[in-house]
Every structure is written in structure tokens, then in C-alpha cells.
Amino acid sequence: MARAHGARAQMALAFETVYGAPPASGYRLMPFARTTLGAEQPLLNSELLGYGRDPLAPIKDAVTADGEVVVPIDVEAFGFWLKAAFGAPTTTGTTPKTHTFQSGNWTLPSMAIEVAMPEVPRFAMYAGCVIDQLSWQMSRSGLLTATARLIAQGEAIAATTAAGTPTALGLQRFGHFNGVVKRNGTALGNVVSAEITYANGLDRIETIRNDGKIEGADPGMAALTGRIEVRFADSALVTQAIDGTPCELEFAYSLGANASFTFTAHAVYLPVPRIEIPGPQGIQASFDWQAAKATSPTRMCTAVLVNTVTGY
């Protein structure tokens, strides 16, 4: 008897033309490390009395389809997750091509994602997937991954694939070693770690339907937050926090002229941190920053992915 193994699992992704309607073709094979994407339908205990001490049969409640996908930050496939988070990019250039994603779009594309466990077989198609949150961390070492938090309309289980044979992309990963943090265009020194979280603030449209699915997930107010941990070597960041002025923070990775990823928060505000002395070791300061819409450019953030992909 076959048993499911994560090593054999596959994930295929395609963008939908109509929300909740998976396309018949155009799927891409997506690299991923792990996923909690799934649907659940809890049971409601019967509240009726007069039938003895043994309870009556429970009643099914509404279906909830959501979860997270941990993906590598790479040169090609990561662009699909950026498109889902920010909307379609503006693409320029020939070789390489520069894909520019901007915050502030009123509508977001939906995706159909199929998670396959071929040995069972079980092919779970999640329609109407929209990114609620995209986050990642920067450090000195380790594997560089991002976490995409998704809200789906529903789940459909089949014994055969509906994605056909998905097109595989070239896998070229960025690493922490390729990263740099800049403040106002200058490399920011003494950075120990950094966290970046972009949230779309999705609002589930939970209308009454006979299939238990949601009607949609509309984007609300976006938010860009994070944290930078620095060795306390000067008062530049503390002074900015006290003054209440914004700065531009840039988080970038590069593998050469044809492969790079740059994420820029254009107006970042820093809180005044508590500077603690935990002992004889080096002193560090943590800044839980927040970004806002900048005066120029008139948006909160921009993501630029440089590769040889024709378009997303």
C-alpha cells in the first residue's frame, strides 16, 4: 500500500482569469519547502435536549480554506508570489528583464494551486487563492525562504491531476550571503538580522452559499512592518527615531547583473528603542519599524526582480 511522502509532493500554480475558476492549462511547477495549505470543516455539537444522555449527530459547519506556503527566494519562481502579493509588474528590458512590482493596487490576482500526493493518489486543487501576507527574514547564514499566507475559496479533491504537466522553471536561489541592507542608499552597518512583513489585510466575503465557500477575499489597508536588530555602534537610528523622520530601507540580494531582487520601503519610521545592557557581551538594539506611503515615489514599497523570464 502506497503511503504519502513529502519528498514526492508537488505544487502547481496558475493565475485565474475568473476568481475561483481554475484554468485548464498554464500551470507552473513551484518549488516549496513545506505547506499548511488546506481546507477544514469543523463539526458543531448538537444542543438539543430530550433524547437521553447520548448526544445526537453533529452538524457540519462552514468550510475554511487557507494556510501557509514556505518558498525559496529565487531568481524566477519568486516572481509569481510577488505578483500575487502586489499585482502584475511592469516589465522592461530585453536581457535581462526588469520586473517592477508596486504596492497600492486596488485589485489582486487570484491563483489556482494544486498540491499533489501522487502515491495515494490525492490531487487537491485550491481555487481562488489570494496572498494575505508575505514575509521573510535576513540573517548571516542559513537557507533563505519566504512565507506566503494564503486565503483560498475552497478545496476540490481528485484522484487525477487537473494541472496537466506543469512547466518547470529554472531554480537559482538567493542566499543570505548575497544580501545587503541599505539606509537612504548607503549600506547599513552592524545589522545582525532583519525581518520584513507585507500584509494585504484581506477581508473574507463570507456570504451564504450552499457549497460552504467564501465569495471572495478583498484587499483592505496594506501594512509593511518589520524589525532590524543592530549592534549598538552609533546613534544614527536612535536620533532618527527621536526626530520622527522617515528613511528609506532597501533589502537587496544579487547574483550578478542578470539575477537580483531588491525590496525597497520608501518611508520607514522607527520607534525609540530600549537600550539594555544584558551583561558583558556586545549591546544590541531592536527597531520594530513601520512603513508608510512616501511623498516620492507616492507609494509604500517597490519590489524589483531582475531575471530572464519574459513575463509574469
Side-chain angles (χ1 to χ4, degrees):
M1 183 175 110
R3 296 178 177 85
H5 290 81
R8 290 194 61 186
Q10 289 187 333
M11 178 177 291
L13 180 152
F15 285 96
E16 300 173 336
T17 303
V18 178
Y19 176 81
S25 61
Y27 288 85
R28 301 296 184 101
L29 188 65
M30 304 301 293
F32 72 105
R34 57 186 179 274
T35 180
T36 62
L37 182 61
E40 60 182 358
Q41 187 174 22
L43 297 175
L44 298 176
N45 294 330
S46 175
E47 84 286 18
L48 300 180
L49 306 176
Y51 294 91
R53 292 185 58 235
D54 295 334
L56 297 180
I59 304 298
K60 291 182 178 181
D61 201 3
V63 177
T64 300
D66 56 18
E68 296 181 346
V69 181
V70 178
V71 300
I73 298 183
D74 71 324
V75 177
E76 296 187 9
F78 193 58
F80 290 93
W81 300 107
L82 291 174
K83 177 181 178 179
F86 297 101
T90 300
T91 300
T92 58
T94 53
T95 303
K97 297 183 182 296
T98 300
H99 311 279
T100 303
F101 305 83
Q102 299 180 4
S103 63
N105 287 319
W106 287 104
T107 58
L108 298 175
S110 62
M111 304 172 287
I113 298 177
E114 184 183 77
V115 179
M117 301 177 190
E119 60 271 78
V120 174
R122 183 183 190 270
F123 296 86
M125 177 65 76
Y126 300 95
C129 294
V130 187
I131 282 192
D132 186 30
Q133 183 175 293
L134 186 65
S135 61
W136 69 94
Q137 298 179 350
M138 298 183 72
S139 61
R140 187 174 183 270
S141 63
L143 295 173
L144 177 60
T145 59
T147 300
R149 183 181 298 172
L150 303 169
I151 293 178
Q153 185 188 40
E155 176 189 66
I157 306 296
T160 58
T161 179
T165 303
T167 303
L169 298 168
L171 180 59
Q172 186 181 10
R173 298 182 66 171
F174 295 108
H176 287 294
F177 179 76
N178 311 117
V180 65
V181 180
K182 294 183 179 180
R183 175 178 177 267
N184 294 332
T186 303
L188 184 62
N190 296 294
V191 179
V192 177
S193 64
E195 299 176 10
I196 304 96
T197 300
Y198 179 80
N200 278 312
L202 295 183
D203 179 22
R204 297 175 190 256
I205 310 303
E206 298 179 325
T207 57
I208 299 174
R209 298 171 50 131
N210 60 2
D211 57 6
K213 298 179 179 179
I214 62 173
E215 195 71 25
D218 294 343
M221 289 293 293
L224 177 58
T225 59
R227 166 180 287 198
I228 52 174
E229 186 98 12
V230 298
R231 278 299 182 103
F232 194 55
D234 58 61
S235 299
L237 296 179
V238 176
T239 300
Q240 177 191 330
I242 294 174
D243 293 341
T245 56
C247 71
E248 182 179 84
L249 286 183
E250 178 183 301
F251 309 91
Y253 305 90
S254 177
L255 293 174
N258 295 336
S260 64
F261 170 54
T262 304
F263 185 85
T264 305
H266 298 292
V268 172
Y269 293 84
L270 304 176
V272 179
R274 178 188 306 228
I275 307 299
E276 299 180 353
I277 303 177
Q281 65 270 27
I283 297 174
Q284 297 183 174
S286 296
F287 295 86
D288 293 316
W289 54 268
Q290 299 180 29
K293 185 177 182 179
T295 303
S296 178
T298 55
R299 56 182 176 271
M300 184 166 60
C301 60
T302 303
V304 178
L305 187 62
V306 176
N307 56 30
T308 58
V309 176
T310 301
Y312 288 100

